[in-house]
Amino acid sequence: MASGTIRPLPVWFRQEVPDARALRRMKELLRPSGLHTVCEGARCPNLGRCWGRGTATFMILGDVCTRSCRFCAVKSGAPLAVDPDEPRRVAEAVQALQLKYVVITSVTRDDLPDEGAGHFAKVTRAIKAAVPGVIVEVLTPDFSARVACIQTVLEAGVDVFGHNLETVRRMSPFLRSKADYDRSLQTLKCARAGRKVLVKSGLMAGLGETDDEILEALSELKAAGGDMVTIGQYLAPGVSDRHVPVARFVLPEMFEIYREKALAMGFAFAASAPLVRSSYLAEEGYAKAFTQKAGI
Amino acid sequence: MATALKLRFYGDPCLRKTAAKVVSVGPAERILIKELIRAMYEFEGAGLAAPQVGISEQIFVADAGEGPFAVINPEFIKVSVDETRMEEGCLSLPGIRINVSRPAVVHIRYLDENGRKVERELTGLMAKIFQHESDHLFGSMMIDHASDVEREKFQEKLVRLEALSRGGIKVV
């Protein structure tokens, strides 16, 4: 793809203009508290819609990542010092937004001794203490698949443990140069190990993989103990940086086939469509997966 | 006498690791810092991070035009939303210049060569150098900010550097 050329998005990406008032309300709440959202950091196309509905996915541990994956808009480099007051501020924002379902994600923090696990646990506990009955979903880095780190997060009482596989095995070394496909599967296996928590993962399509490779990745996710999966279309964050261009726009019909196959594999919940992202319809996904696993 | 330190180039895995925090600052660290400063001037750089000479520790030295200084265990407390762009170079990427956008003002904290805590607000060239060198301590390099055009322009140089690094040939 020639540099500087921006391919127009396929027609199925057209979105409604978001509600300006709702966006402003969200900004007013987040700005003074200095909280980051992955919605902004990763330039999610669903920002308008989710913020319009009053939901947001918080990004803790700063907005600079110690990895440099080629599909991610988040800044990479020297990370920000951990803010010990962040758990309290996130809990307050959850209260102010009257959220019943919260998704917390973060940048990767290879620089911290516990890779951020302790901070995830603190944020989870703060939210649960502030809002009785709230459901907390975390979308974490791989924690280098360290059992102690993963346990720290689980012991805080998260309801959904998510870690994204992101792409297929063949493309991982190039796209996630500081991560590892098998290590990510191991992180999920670790979270699964005989626990009640729901395990979730996400994939992107359109990075250069084949449909068979997506299905293979889904199968490996299921074998690792995944309960829920999300699949969405990769959209390049920008043309003038480390990011890779979009290799293909997968047809909505194909996303639907991924979904059917995922459900046939036994996933309790599978969201698959061009605009699906990890935390899109997270609440509905939880409800579905929870009731299915509980045999209700 | 020339420095005994040898530069590592793009492609060397030690430039992609997160360096270990320095536990205590003592004579050994001060000797290393002296040597890093010597090497920095010899290699004619504005900054030099320990990982660039194969030492995976959170130390870098720099000279923004006001004399050499050392930074240990840098932390970014706050960075400005406003960014400025500057063409940067790197000793580990010889012959390559990349336009990099970085926060214009940074509020940082670190230990000096005597182990004393320093907290400062940096702007201008100092802020740039500090961020560039800190990135090295977290496995990040300026090439990560390169546009498609820049990457294409320096493609051959990058491939050669990677081959050099893989071959284990150390060029001072």
Side-chain angles (χ1 to χ4, degrees), chain A residues 133-150:
Chain A
V134 71
I135 311 283
V136 176
E137 173 179 319
V138 294
L139 176 61
T140 72
D142 59 20
F143 292 130
S144 303
R146 288 160 65 187
V147 177
C149 297
I150 297 161

Side-chain angles (χ1 to χ4, degrees), chain A residues 9 15 30 54 56 86 98 107 124 147 150 158 177 194 196 207 221 231 250 258-259 282 291:
Chain A
L9 290 177
Q15 302 203 53
L30 294 168
E86 192 168 47
Q98 296 175 303
V107 293
T124 301
V147 177
I150 297 161
V158 303
S177 56
K196 273 194 329 176
L207 284 158
L221 276 173
I231 313 164
V250 176
Y258 295 156
R259 193 181 86 91
T291 52

Side-chain angles (χ1 to χ4, degrees), chain A residues 73-118:
Chain A
V74 173
K75 290 181 274 188
S76 71
L80 292 175
V82 177
D83 182 349
D85 196 42
E86 192 168 47
R88 181 189 64 82
R89 288 185 288 114
V90 174
E92 272 175 14
V94 171
Q95 267 178 323
L97 287 166
Q98 296 175 303
L99 296 177
K100 299 192 186 59
Y101 194 98
V102 193
V103 184
I104 307 289
T105 190
S106 77
V107 293
T108 301
R109 294 300 300 259
D110 294 309
D111 63 304
L112 300 173
D114 69 353
E115 302 186 39

Side-chain angles (χ1 to χ4, degrees), chain B residues 22-55:
Chain B
V22 173
V23 174
S24 74
V25 183
E29 283 70 33
R30 282 187 276 278
I31 290 171
L32 172 61
I33 285 167
K34 261 215 185 76
E35 199 50 42
L36 283 171
I37 291 172
R38 188 144 71 113
M40 174 182 71
Y41 288 129
E42 201 173 298
F43 300 149
E44 292 178 28
L48 183 67
Q52 287 180 280
V53 291
I55 296 166

Side-chain angles (χ1 to χ4, degrees), chain A residues 149-166:
Chain A
C149 297
I150 297 161
Q151 242 163 26
T152 298
V153 175
L154 292 170
E155 274 157 21
V158 303
D159 300 281
V160 180
F161 183 97
H163 171 63
N164 286 346
L165 196 55
E166 309 289 15

